């Protein structure tokens, strides 16, 4: 008798036209197909929330939150340990679902699930940490500063790494006693929402605490302006981030923004050209450059610029592009036609502004070939803007000071890197860069979940999420004092 296959976790029929409200009972106003970028195949039929749908979800989350905040820390922690186990049990199924929906290669899908396991274990530790401090005070008075949950946290997640970039807010916010309303991108509703819904449903998260509500700008704005949601965590484009920041400011609520900006990879003249070009290619082209930490600008000392260019062109010419889930390619498709056309226009404009197209610059379907531009400088679109596509922008410099000046010609960035065997010199340059994360002898795409993740300006308005930043982000201070007896007052 053969061994029966393990039942799958995902079932498109559960969320066809619906939100996750702790079960699958709430129908949304309209519906839309979620399509696999590589093949055009319809993966699922997804509900699209109206403002009224979002408001109802917020009400359900608010109703569930108080009891959850009062739940014993060990009980809250146990939910996340079980969630990590469920991710492990369904690893292959979930990795393939992420790869297909996002247009990524299979290792990219595996990476998202692997990191989700880590994020759940880290979240499980949060309720067991000290929740405040005893402060110095006058004799006879106990003074305590404690961390308390915000209440309902709104999370708006992107399409590129939707599982990680949603869960990195959802998990710690829930673990620290909040309820969460999650609005995933409608292009990646399963990876960015319903995978989490199914995992936490199976893990025993009490009903109502996690609401997963796909929607467009109307639903997102309803989430941001609702007075019952004191905090918004958003990952996405600087343009949308500015809009959310402005709305959140008008309503006096906390906002965590992770946006992107300019990321600079600096290659000094003593770097090994082969190793440096390999790092630059990965940083620029992994997941089609659709990464907030992508190596947008590759600043190369002029003495080895030709060597780096030659190697980058060789890699761009030979890297296979196609269906990422097939396991036969290095780069998959862009997320949709709108994103591809925006990126292609940026490449065309950059060439018209003086950059030289050395490789790539063409596409078939949604698959854009890895592209190399040389002669890139300030005033060229691919230098001034975040490309969010598979382009290596080669910028030359003569001195360390010039490299720093070029790198800091931006409104901020998430990540930077410096490659050189002269570690002291590389560190001296790194310390002068305007970036939230700096890597010596590496490329810019790095995250370990235990680190604060964020950057200045359009990198993320100076805030961070992850690691030691999570308790600060998803709770707030409350001061409590206690006296044995009521003192006498002069009035």
């Amino acid at each position: 008798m053969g061994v029966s296959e393990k039942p799958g976790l995902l079932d498109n029929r559960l969320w066809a036209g619906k939100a996750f409200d702790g079960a699958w009972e709430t129908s949304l106003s309209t519906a839309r197909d979620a399509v696999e970028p590589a093949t055009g195949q319809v993966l699922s039929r997804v509900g699209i929330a109206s403002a009224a749908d979002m408001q109802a979800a917020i009400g359900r989350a608010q109703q569930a939150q108080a009891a959850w905040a009062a739940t014993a820390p060990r009980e809250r922690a146990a939910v996340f340990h079980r969630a990590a186990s469920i991710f492990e049990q369904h690893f292959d199924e979930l990795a393939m679902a992420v790869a297909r929906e996002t247009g990524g290669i299979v290792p990219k899908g595996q990476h998202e699930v692997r990191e989700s396991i880590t994020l759940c274990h880290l979240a499980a530790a949060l309720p067991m940490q000290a929740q405040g401090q005893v402060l110095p005070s006058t004799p006879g008075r106990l003074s305590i500063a404690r961390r308390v949950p915000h209440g309902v946290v709104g999370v708006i997640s992107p399409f590129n790494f939707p599982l990680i970039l949603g869960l990195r807010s959802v998990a710690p916010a829930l673990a620290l006693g909040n309820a969460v309303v999650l609005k995933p991108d409608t292009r990646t509703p399963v990876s960015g929402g319903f995978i989490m819904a199914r995992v936490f449903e199976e893990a025993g998260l009490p009903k109502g605490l996690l609401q997963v509500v796909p929607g467009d700008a109307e639903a997102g704005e309803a989430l941001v302006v609702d007075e019952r949601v004191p905090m918004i965590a958003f990952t996405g484009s600087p343009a949308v981030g500015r809009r959310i920041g402005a709305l959140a400011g008008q309503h006096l609520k906390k906002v965590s923004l992770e946006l992107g900006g300019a990321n600079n990879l600096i290659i000094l003249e003593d770097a090994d050209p082969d190793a440096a070009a390999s790092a630059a290619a990965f940083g620029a082209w992994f997941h089609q450059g659709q990464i907030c930490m992508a190596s947008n600008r590759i600043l190369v000392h002029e003495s080895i610029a030709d060597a780096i260019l030659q190697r980058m062109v060789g890699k761009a010419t030979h890297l296979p592009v196609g269906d990422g889930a097939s396991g036969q390619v290095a780069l998959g498709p862009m997320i949709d036609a709108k994103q591809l056309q925006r990126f292609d226009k940026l490449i065309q404009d950059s060439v018209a502004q003086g950059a030289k197209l050395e490789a790539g610059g063409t596409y078939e379907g949604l698959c854009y070939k890895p592209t190399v531009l040389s002669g890139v400088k300030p005033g060229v679109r691919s230098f001034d803007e975040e490309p969010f596509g598979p382009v290596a922008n080669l910028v030359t410099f003569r001195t360390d000071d010039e490299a720093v000046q070029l790198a800091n010609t931006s409104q901020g960035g998430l990540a930077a890197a410096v490659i050189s065997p002269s570690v002291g010199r590389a560190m001296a340059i790194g310390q002068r860069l305007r970036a939230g994360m700096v890597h010596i002898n590496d490329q810019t795409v790095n995250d370990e979940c235990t680190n604060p993740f964020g950057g200045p300006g359009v990198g993320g308005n100076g805030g961070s999420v992850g690691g030691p930043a999570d308790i600060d982000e998803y709770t707030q201070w409350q001061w409590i004092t206690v006296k044995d007896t009521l003192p006498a007052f002069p009035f």
Side-chain angles (χ1 to χ4, degrees):
M1 184 175 179
V3 178
S4 62
E5 291 187 10
K6 180 170 52 182
L9 186 70
L10 305 180
D11 183 346
N12 290 344
R13 294 170 296 183
L14 287 173
W15 51 78
K18 295 182 178 180
F20 177 71
D21 52 13
W24 303 93
E25 300 169 350
T26 300
S27 296
L28 296 176
S29 297
T30 59
R32 184 182 304 161
D33 290 336
V35 177
E36 182 176 15
T39 65
Q41 178 182 340
V42 174
L43 296 174
S44 57
R45 185 74 173 165
V46 182
I48 304 297
S50 65
D53 292 327
M54 181 60 74
Q55 291 159 0
I58 293 166
R60 294 190 295 268
Q62 185 184 43
Q63 189 174 14
Q65 187 267 331
W68 174 245
T71 300
R74 289 190 182 195
E75 292 181 36
R76 275 190 273 141
V79 170
F80 295 92
H81 286 307
R82 291 195 294 268
S85 179
I86 292 165
F87 273 117
E88 290 174 342
Q89 292 167 23
H90 298 275
F91 185 92
D92 292 338
E93 176 194 5
L94 300 182
M96 183 57 72
V98 171
R100 292 187 65 192
E101 192 177 56
T102 64
I105 59 176
V106 173
K108 184 263 189 186
Q110 293 170 335
H111 172 73
E112 290 213 51
V113 180
R114 192 177 299 112
E115 293 300 276
S116 295
I117 296 167
T118 299
L119 286 166
C120 285
H121 283 309
L122 292 171
L126 291 174
M128 306 305 295
Q129 295 185 30
Q131 302 297 306
Q133 304 176 35
V134 177
L135 305 177
S137 189
T138 58
R141 184 187 204 184
L142 178 63
S143 178
I144 300 171
R146 68 168 187 157
R147 304 295 304 197
V148 297
H150 296 295
V152 178
V153 173
V155 178
I156 302 175
S157 61
F159 68 80
N160 57 337
F161 280 73
L163 182 55
I164 293 175
L165 299 182
L167 190 63
R168 73 172 180 187
S169 291
V170 169
L174 286 171
L176 290 164
N178 300 283
V180 171
V181 178
L182 169 62
K183 190 196 83 65
D185 192 295
T186 57
R187 292 167 289 187
T188 53
V190 177
S191 303
F194 295 138
I195 286 178
M196 283 174 267
R198 287 292 293 127
V199 167
F200 284 115
E201 184 181 25
E202 292 295 307
L205 183 73
K207 184 177 179 179
L209 283 168
L210 175 60
Q211 304 282 324
V212 181
V213 193
D216 296 322
E218 176 190 353
E221 186 157 329
L223 180 61
V224 172
V225 303
D226 197 295
E227 63 181 12
R228 298 169 294 177
V229 183
M231 179 186 174
I232 298 293
F234 170 78
T235 302
S237 70
V240 178
R242 286 189 176 95
R243 172 67 176 162
I244 288 174
L247 287 172
Q250 290 173 21
H251 293 270
L252 300 178
K253 60 177 63 181
K254 184 173 184 176
V255 61
S256 172
L257 301 175
E258 193 266 272
L259 307 177
N263 305 307
N264 297 277
L265 170 59
I266 300 175
I267 303 174
L268 302 184
E269 73 275 11
D270 54 0
D272 175 75
D274 291 323
S278 177
F282 181 88
W285 297 329
F286 180 61
H287 195 49
Q288 301 73 263
Q290 298 173 130
I291 303 178
C292 55
M293 301 169 284
S295 302
N296 308 138
R297 304 168 177 169
I298 301 169
L299 278 60
V300 186
H301 192 277
E302 63 178 12
S303 66
I304 63 166
D306 287 343
I308 296 296
L309 173 61
Q310 178 185 355
R311 287 161 175 78
M312 296 293 290
V313 168
K315 293 177 184 297
T317 304
H318 292 100
L319 284 172
V321 180
D323 181 354
S326 71
Q328 305 299 315
V329 302
L331 279 74
M334 306 277 289
I335 190 65
D336 61 13
K338 181 180 178 181
Q339 180 70 13
L340 183 141
Q341 293 299 330
R342 187 206 68 82
F343 174 71
D344 186 56
K345 182 66 164 58
L346 179 142
I347 296 299
Q348 294 178 27
D349 288 350
S350 298
V351 171
Q353 292 165 339
K356 182 179 179 182
L357 181 65
E358 303 281 2
T362 62
Y363 58 91
E364 184 175 343
L366 295 181
C367 295
Y368 208 103
K369 290 190 176 295
T371 298
V372 180
L373 294 179
S374 65
V376 178
K377 57 187 177 181
V380 173
R381 276 193 70 192
S382 59
F383 182 97
D384 294 340
E385 301 178 23
E386 182 182 18
F388 225 67
V391 59
N393 293 298
L394 299 182
V395 184
T396 59
F397 66 89
R398 294 182 178 181
T399 67
D400 293 1
D401 286 344
E402 184 183 4
V404 171
Q405 182 180 14
L406 285 165
N408 288 340
T409 304
S410 71
Q411 295 177 323
L414 272 176
V418 185
I419 297 176
S420 170
S422 304
V423 174
R425 177 185 170 199
M427 289 185 65
I429 292 172
Q431 290 170 359
R432 298 169 62 189
L433 301 179
R434 190 166 180 253
M437 300 173 282
V438 179
H439 308 289
I440 305 302
N441 286 322
D442 205 337
Q443 44 75 49
T444 56
V445 181
N446 277 282
D447 184 26
E448 293 185 339
C449 298
T450 55
N451 52 281
F453 189 103
V458 295
N461 75 327
S464 294
V465 296
D470 278 342
I471 291 180
D472 288 336
E473 283 295 293
Y474 303 112
T475 64
Q476 57 190 321
W477 284 109
Q478 183 184 60
W479 184 38
I480 298 175
T481 67
V482 181
K483 292 183 177 180
D484 289 338
T485 58
L486 182 68
F489 295 94
F491 288 3

